Amino acid sequence: MQEKYLPTEIEQAAQAYWNTSQTFRAAATADLTNSRPKYYCLSMFPYPSGKLHMGHVRNYTIGDVLSRYHRMKGYNVLQPMGWDAFGLPAENAAMQNKVPPAKWTWDNIAYMKKQLQSLGFALDWERELATCAPEYYKWNQWLFLRMLEKGIAYKKTQVVNWDPVDQTVLANEQVIEGRGWRTGAVVEKREIPGYYLAITQYADELLSALDTLPGWPERVKTMQANWIGKSTGVRFAFPYELPATGGTNLPSPSRGGIEGGDGVSTANNPSPSLALPLEGEGHVQSASGTEKGLLWVFTTRADTIMGVTFCAVAAEHPLATYAAQTNPQLAAFIDECKHGSVMEADMATMEKKGMPTGIFVDHPLTGEKVEVWVGNYVLMSYGEGAVMAVPAHDERDFEFAKKYGLGIKQVIENAGLRGELAKALLDGRLTEKGKQELEASYTNTAFTTNHWQQWYGDKANGVCVNSGKYDGLGLEAAVTAIAADLKAKDLGDTQVQYRLRDWGVSRQRYWGCPIPLIHCDACGTVPVPDEQLPVKLPEDCVPDGSGNPLAKRADFVDCACPQCGKPAKRETDTMDTFVDSSWYYARYCVDPTTRAANSAMVDAGTNHWMPADQYIGGIEHAILHLLYSRFWTKVMRDITVDGKRLVNYDEPFANLLTQGMVLNHIFSRRTDKGGIEYFAPEEVDLKRDEGGHVIGATSKADGQPVDYGGVGTMSKSKRNGVDPQSLIDEFGADTARFFMMFASPPEQTLEWSDSGVEGAYRFLRRVWAFGHAEQPAIAARAAMPAKLPEPLAAVRREIHLLLKQANYDLGKFQFNTVASAAMKMLNSLEKIPAGNGRDAVVAECFGILLRILSPITPHICHALWIELGFGADILDAAWPEPLAEALVQDEEELVLQVNGKHRGNIRVKAGADRAAIEAAALAAEAAQKFMEGKPAKKVVVVPGRLVNIVV
RNA sequence: GCCCGGGUGGUGAAAUUGGUAGACACAAGGGACUUAAAAUCCCUCGGCGCAAGCCAUACCGGUUCGAUUCCGGUUCCGGGCACCA
């Protein structure tokens, strides 16, 4: 046995052993019936950006710890890995380096695979997959066609960021303060056709099924529920009458058309129903030369309907378009609204602007005239593209009304809050400061001196005022009454609405999965026949930033129509990369032989391994990726082939661990064209204040200042990722893994710093040194004496207590304290006294330490297990459990408090009853001193923990 | 702006979920060993105070015998906001 700890040697040997014995190869379909319970441990697959970063190390070490732990607990474990290989960064790299995205991606995969292997993860590489491989994305295409048949996939227009200079669609990330990142041109909103997946058809199930996921973090379920945003409200209409136009120049709704009629619109995303030309919405040309129409809106607060003072519609709304025909100023304003970003965060924070249309509609209940405004904050894609405005009680409407001098009418009052405040003040229990606090909390409002908005927010206590017959009604009663009255007039009804919108999957990009459709002049849009799948993406394109390179490839575009055989054009849009990542986990499960034949998307292996027993990945995926995966799963469940469902489970991930982000400093500088250039942390010199906080930085290259952007997620685009390779090269994989797990609990955000790596390395050296020094003692395999001398019993008890704690912490995924327990074990063992049974205690306890540590630092534990003769493979050893005989003790120590303050400790017999503890406490010297002769009013006893004397 | 988290020593963090605040480490300082360095080992290490003790878990309040933990408010930081993945 080597005296020195040599990580490189140890790690290479261990990895070679795992490779040759195929230790981590999961059982194939034929063996799936073996009696061990399955444990499918899944980590979110990486985007092959070039190198691993610390977030990957964190993510995959967590997965590996869980995999190895469950394997030792007797589970049949599957832990696969793959590559989320399509995406924008490959195209950016192509523009920069003139290398095809395919080559760049495959090279990155090869390098990152080596890095993963050098970290010793227990992965079944036989099941590796890359989403850019035709044999994988073939099934994206196949399932897309099934969705088209079922009406889950359909076509409508979508709003995109358009760079007028590069003539290309920009991702949100490529829009910097309203301008294109490469050209600096002001970005325009443009409506283009695209394909959507009707996730709203599953909105209800996606929401209610959250209750079937007890293994998911509460916060993720809350975020998903809020995202789906189910609300019951009232959809109602404001009737209006306009001068007749003959209907010819009245605008059509800008969306909702579904090509070929094989798609379906969804109940929850109705077409904008205002539009004059639509049938069944009250559009009637009357004899008097006017046309009647209905302006539909949706509200969750119909109780405030009597406070409506105006309506606001989106710039793309047909009424706006209609009014603009005769109003050049309005037309200019509508045009202005088309500039700028499509992002919700920008929409919500931009200055609210509007302009009157000159059109008045009738209030459906009072008949009063209500003016229609165009508002830049109203989105055509939400609800009806129009809203009622109640400035008295809605902050956004208030801001708008104040700015344009529109009416404000209070219709909600809250007696409850007023009463509560009065009661609290009269009660007298509040201090003067407390009173002020309470008052401030009721009066602190950013935009008005009254309480109207707060009364609106306090749904339990608001009542209607200034609302005629609805006066005095609470929220629910008022909504019910108002909805009934609207219904009686045939002008509205209650409706369930979702915030969730259908999933637009078309991308005007090259490096993605081609959408398998063909456009024929004679036959229209025709699906590519299944037997012609996959539609392969040419792999030698080098995008240049303008337009979609696929459209320029005649060899891709030109094809024969599958229906009539005449020349036709292939669809050049590709799919959103979220499609790729929505089902990769099901593909890992496919038996390798089935996969080689590639005649099916999934097989029996999928139903065996799925749902994944544990999914691990960054919290940034809490909504989109996880929701899309859940949706995709339900679609696969509902699609049948030969009368059989594709999969037989409802949810893809039984348990979810959301890893906290690994953050690092971000440095950037604006380019001449208005874009952003990022600097890696090693390229800048930091300026810090006295407290050590970063306040600025300069570029090492040119000495000029760069902007400090605070800390944020490690990412390729922000260039702030830290490559773990130097860490692995210098200290080894075990140190990197141990350090990462010890640094903080997995769900917590972690600001990157490598201070502490030395400590991890030092600890592993001590583990090795202890094993080396005690080799003879351990190899002797001495029997444990029936009665150990107390000093040795104490060490043994301590190790078993730590083991108990470590096992508890493992169940909570709290790996940092497991690592800490291992360190405490070694601290104890290093001080073990001599005595009868010492060698037996050392052997037993060090064996526990190695097994506890082995999921985190598998290489060193593998080597020591063999060197010290514990067994052939530590992975085959049973997981240690604390022994009752080792834990027994005669006395226990309790904390002694007087009036809640710690005043000392008392020792009592283990398991002493309350009376005995109380007596011992009152007799204690420290208690006597602080009770100052006063009698005990009350004695609180917490068995095994503390006793508190109240005087 | 909206939704979801988080804030504890110089630093990463712990506290068996209402019961000794700061375990275990890192950094720093002091010492031992050494010709020297590295490595290793020992000691100190939240603030104030000679001490008894007092103060202290972002800030302001509340509940409780007892609050890092529960409640109300504020503030700062992070994640998401539908074309980054």
Side-chain angles (χ1 to χ4, degrees):
Chain A
M1 183 183 177
Q2 285 282 352
E3 188 182 347
K4 274 187 74 179
Y5 171 48
L6 300 170
T8 317
E9 237 169 68
I10 289 169
E11 291 175 7
Q12 278 172 2
Q15 286 166 17
Y17 165 81
W18 294 327
N19 268 337
T20 47
S21 47
Q22 301 198 324
T23 308
F24 306 121
R25 192 171 170 180
T29 312
D31 319 319
L32 288 181
T33 47
N34 82 40
S35 60
R36 289 189 299 161
K38 64 113 181 169
Y39 185 78
Y40 180 9
C41 187
L42 175 71
S43 287
M44 290 184 188
F45 63 167
Y47 178 79
S49 58
K51 296 166 181 173
L52 291 185
H53 59 64
M54 288 301 167
H56 294 127
V57 177
R58 194 181 198 191
N59 196 153
Y60 304 138
T61 303
I62 294 167
D64 205 46
V65 169
L66 289 171
S67 288
R68 289 173 179 272
Y69 169 63
H70 281 86
R71 183 191 173 111
M72 289 173 76
K73 287 275 237 179
Y75 287 85
N76 185 24
V77 175
L78 166 61
Q79 189 183 214
M81 185 51 70
W83 309 94
D84 189 10
F86 275 136
L88 204 52
E91 297 193 34
N92 297 339
M95 285 181 238
Q96 237 172 46
N97 313 324
K98 310 270 184 276
V99 178
K103 181 179 167 24
W104 183 83
T105 303
W106 287 112
D107 286 352
N108 288 348
I109 287 175
Y111 181 77
M112 290 170 76
K113 182 173 177 178
K114 266 195 186 153
Q115 288 193 298
L116 286 177
Q117 288 174 326
S118 76
L119 279 158
F121 295 134
L123 294 163
D124 181 357
W125 284 104
E126 198 185 4
R127 292 168 186 261
E128 178 186 9
L129 62 80
T131 57
C132 65
E135 57 269 26
Y136 179 80
Y137 67 68
K138 169 183 180 179
W139 300 106
N140 288 355
Q141 298 174 342
W142 181 82
L143 200 77
F144 177 83
L145 294 176
R146 301 292 85 76
M147 291 198 202
L148 209 58
E149 287 161 6
K150 278 187 73 102
I152 294 169
Y154 66 95
K155 191 177 190 179
K156 71 175 178 184
T157 62
Q158 51 179 349
V159 183
V160 295
N161 303 303
W162 180 256
D163 186 319
V165 173
D166 262 351
Q167 294 285 301
T168 196
V169 176
L170 297 179
N172 285 338
E173 191 186 58
Q174 299 170 317
V175 180
I176 314 292
E177 288 176 19
R179 292 171 182 274
W181 67 330
R182 283 156 50 85
T183 63
V186 174
V187 170
E188 294 166 11
K189 287 178 212 166
R190 178 171 277 217
E191 289 193 59
I192 60 171
Y195 287 88
Y196 281 78
L197 304 184
I199 190 172
T200 52
Q201 283 183 17
Y202 286 87
D204 240 330
E205 191 190 344
L206 287 168
L207 180 65
S208 59
L210 288 173
D211 293 338
T212 68
L213 299 171
W216 279 42
E218 254 347 286
R219 65 163 154 161
V220 174
K221 288 191 277 186
T222 306
M223 281 191 261
Q224 292 219 347
N226 290 342
W227 183 263
I228 294 166
K230 183 177 186 173
S231 61
T232 306
V234 177
R235 178 178 176 262
F236 70 94
F238 293 83
Y240 61 85
E241 217 166 309
L242 295 174
T245 59
T248 48
N249 58 350
L250 284 172
S252 298
S254 57
R255 53 177 204 127
I258 291 129
E259 194 177 81
D262 53 0
V264 292
S265 178
T266 71
N268 298 313
N269 274 3
S271 305
S273 31
L274 145 98
L276 300 177
L278 282 187
E279 285 173 27
E281 295 284 357
H283 173 233
V284 178
Q285 187 158 357
S286 77
S288 61
T290 60
E291 287 186 46
K292 292 183 176 176
L294 295 170
L295 172 62
W296 286 93
V297 300
F298 175 85
T299 178
T300 55
R301 294 301 301 267
D303 56 320
T304 63
I305 195 170
M306 304 305 272
V308 170
T309 57
F310 66 98
C311 286
V313 299
E316 299 85 2
H317 195 280
L319 262 195
T321 314
Y322 171 84
Q325 287 170 2
T326 53
N327 184 342
Q329 255 183 303
L330 184 64
F333 176 69
I334 289 172
D335 204 47
E336 188 193 319
C337 290
K338 284 180 184 159
H339 291 292
S341 148
V342 298
M343 281 179 271
E344 191 192 304
D346 292 338
M347 299 294 284
T349 50
M350 73 186 174
E351 192 191 348
K352 311 287 178 288
K353 285 187 193 168
M355 191 169 272
T357 59
I359 295 171
F360 284 82
V361 295
D362 302 327
H363 192 287
L365 296 179
T366 65
E368 276 174 51
K369 289 289 177 197
V370 175
E371 188 165 28
V372 178
W373 283 63
V374 176
N376 66 349
Y377 62 95
V378 184
L379 294 179
M380 199 61 216
S381 48
Y382 289 134
E384 307 287 341
V387 295
M388 69 172 202
V390 185
H393 302 289
D394 180 272
E395 189 167 339
R396 193 177 54 185
D397 294 344
F398 181 82
E399 202 184 298
F400 196 86
K402 221 165 51 168
K403 182 167 178 176
Y404 294 107
L406 301 169
I408 298 173
K409 183 184 169 195
Q410 184 205 350
V411 289
I412 301 286
E413 182 171 272
N414 186 320
L417 269 184
R418 225 186 242 168
E420 199 182 304
L421 177 60
K423 204 177 119 211
L425 289 172
L426 287 172
D427 203 11
R429 279 196 307 165
L430 282 178
T431 60
E432 192 52 42
K433 195 145 196 187
K435 277 183 209 169
Q436 285 166 10
E437 281 288 325
L438 195 59
E439 279 178 318
S441 75
Y442 289 153
T443 53
N444 177 9
T445 130
F447 55 92
T448 175
T449 53
N450 65 42
H451 300 166
W452 295 349
Q453 273 76 12
Q454 284 176 306
W455 292 342
Y456 174 77
D458 182 14
K459 293 179 181 174
N461 293 306
V463 292
C464 292
V465 293
N466 303 326
S467 300
K469 64 187 259 207
Y470 309 113
D471 279 357
L473 295 181
L475 170 70
E476 222 170 290
V479 169
T480 307
I482 286 165
D485 289 348
L486 287 167
K487 192 174 183 181
K489 293 187 172 202
D490 216 16
L491 285 176
D493 205 346
T494 55
Q495 190 187 308
V496 173
Q497 165 129 336
Y498 296 91
R499 205 187 76 93
L500 183 67
R501 310 199 304 258
D502 278 344
W503 174 14
V505 292
S506 292
R507 297 291 180 271
Q508 296 68 46
R509 287 189 216 303
Y510 159 65
W511 191 235
C513 166
I515 292 177
L517 295 172
I518 289 169
H519 302 288
C520 169
D521 285 342
C523 310
T525 300
V526 183
V528 172
D530 287 357
E531 59 276 14
Q532 288 176 27
L533 297 180
V535 175
K536 282 194 189 173
L537 187 71
E539 294 214 339
D540 52 354
C541 276
V542 183
D544 61 6
S546 71
N548 181 347
L550 273 185
K552 300 169 196 162
R553 292 282 301 241
D555 60 339
F556 178 79
V557 174
D558 293 335
C559 62
C561 170
Q563 261 172 38
C564 67
K566 286 188 200 138
K569 302 279 185 200
R570 219 175 262 291
E571 170 68 53
T572 58
D573 279 2
T574 53
M575 292 185 199
D576 180 5
T577 55
F578 273 122
V579 169
D580 310 324
S581 56
S582 287
W583 69 282
Y584 71 102
Y585 47 85
R587 185 67 178 176
Y588 285 140
C589 303
V590 172
D591 186 77
T593 41
T594 318
R595 217 172 108 178
N598 207 25
S599 54
M601 186 176 187
V602 289
D603 72 350
T606 305
N607 281 333
H608 171 78
W609 289 108
M610 287 294 292
D613 296 278
Q614 186 66 56
Y615 197 26
I616 305 136
I619 184 66
E620 78 273 24
H621 293 296
I623 297 174
L624 292 178
H625 162 63
L626 289 170
L627 193 64
Y628 290 148
S629 296
R630 296 180 60 220
F631 161 64
W632 200 274
T633 296
K634 291 171 194 300
V635 171
M636 285 179 77
R637 176 201 62 194
D638 292 345
I639 283 177
T640 51
V641 175
D642 302 329
K644 278 179 71 183
R645 294 175 183 278
L646 273 181
V647 300
N648 66 3
Y649 48 91
D650 297 310
E651 287 284 339
F653 316 120
N655 296 288
L656 176 68
L657 192 160
T658 44
Q659 176 210 182
M661 304 282 78
V662 181
L663 311 180
N664 201 6
H665 301 287
I666 299 169
F667 304 98
S668 64
R669 195 186 275 169
R670 299 304 287 262
T671 61
D672 302 340
K673 285 185 171 171
I676 285 190
E677 178 191 7
Y678 286 97
F679 291 78
E682 63 271 17
E683 294 170 352
V684 301
D685 291 313
L686 294 182
K687 267 185 267 171
R688 294 174 187 270
D689 64 14
E690 310 89 66
H693 300 287
V694 179
I695 48 168
T698 50
S699 159
K700 279 181 185 165
D702 58 19
Q704 296 303 304
V706 296
D707 299 330
Y708 176 56
V711 290
T713 315
M714 284 188 182
S715 77
K716 174 95 182 168
S717 62
K718 291 184 181 137
R719 302 198 58 225
N720 66 339
V722 173
D723 183 359
Q725 202 55 51
S726 60
L727 213 65
I728 300 169
D729 292 344
E730 192 173 351
F731 302 104
D734 280 340
T735 295
R737 294 168 58 123
F738 185 88
F739 170 66
M740 204 68 223
M741 289 301 94
F742 183 60
S744 82
E747 304 215 276
Q748 196 161 305
T749 303
L750 178 64
E751 226 174 280
W752 175 250
S753 156
D754 62 4
S755 75
V757 173
E758 293 269 5
Y761 187 54
R762 198 176 299 152
F763 168 66
L764 294 182
R765 269 201 315 249
R766 277 169 57 209
V767 171
W768 187 269
F770 184 83
H772 180 261
E774 298 293 340
Q775 192 183 16
I778 294 167
R781 299 272 89 94
M784 187 69 69
K787 176 84 180 145
L788 281 172
E790 180 49 32
L792 282 175
V795 170
R796 190 182 183 212
R797 186 184 310 123
E798 162 131 43
I799 302 294
H800 280 263
L801 273 174
L802 286 165
L803 169 60
K804 194 177 168 191
Q805 182 67 47
N807 281 343
Y808 177 81
D809 290 347
L810 271 165
K812 292 196 301 178
F813 303 137
Q814 200 167 298
F815 310 119
N816 56 330
T817 49
V818 175
S820 163
M823 291 175 129
K824 289 175 184 174
M825 285 181 185
L826 186 62
N827 289 346
S828 276
L829 284 178
E830 282 176 339
K831 288 178 199 133
I832 191 165
N836 178 31
R838 178 197 180 275
D839 290 356
V841 173
V842 166
E844 180 188 283
C845 293
F846 197 58
I848 289 172
L849 169 57
L850 288 181
R851 278 174 290 166
I852 278 288
L853 204 51
S854 66
I856 302 174
T857 58
H859 308 89
I860 186 175
C861 296
H862 172 86
L864 283 171
W865 193 255
I866 294 168
E867 293 278 11
L868 300 176
F870 281 111
D873 188 342
I874 195 167
L875 282 162
D876 294 331
W879 190 259
E881 296 296 341
L883 295 172
E885 56 166 285
L887 291 174
V888 288
Q889 58 176 348
D890 309 334
E891 280 192 326
E892 60 186 10
E893 194 165 61
L894 297 181
V895 167
L896 173 64
Q897 293 185 336
V898 178
N899 284 337
K901 279 193 196 296
H902 181 204
R903 297 301 183 185
N905 296 333
I906 54 170
R907 290 197 75 82
V908 295
K909 258 203 146 86
D913 62 10
R914 292 184 79 91
I917 292 171
E918 207 174 307
L922 289 168
E925 200 183 312
Q928 293 296 325
K929 180 179 167 194
F930 286 93
M931 286 168 72
E932 293 165 344
K934 288 174 227 156
K937 218 192 280 176
K938 183 175 168 187
V939 180
V940 181
V941 177
V942 184
R945 197 164 289 264
L946 68 58
V947 46
N948 183 19
I949 302 167
V950 185
V951 297

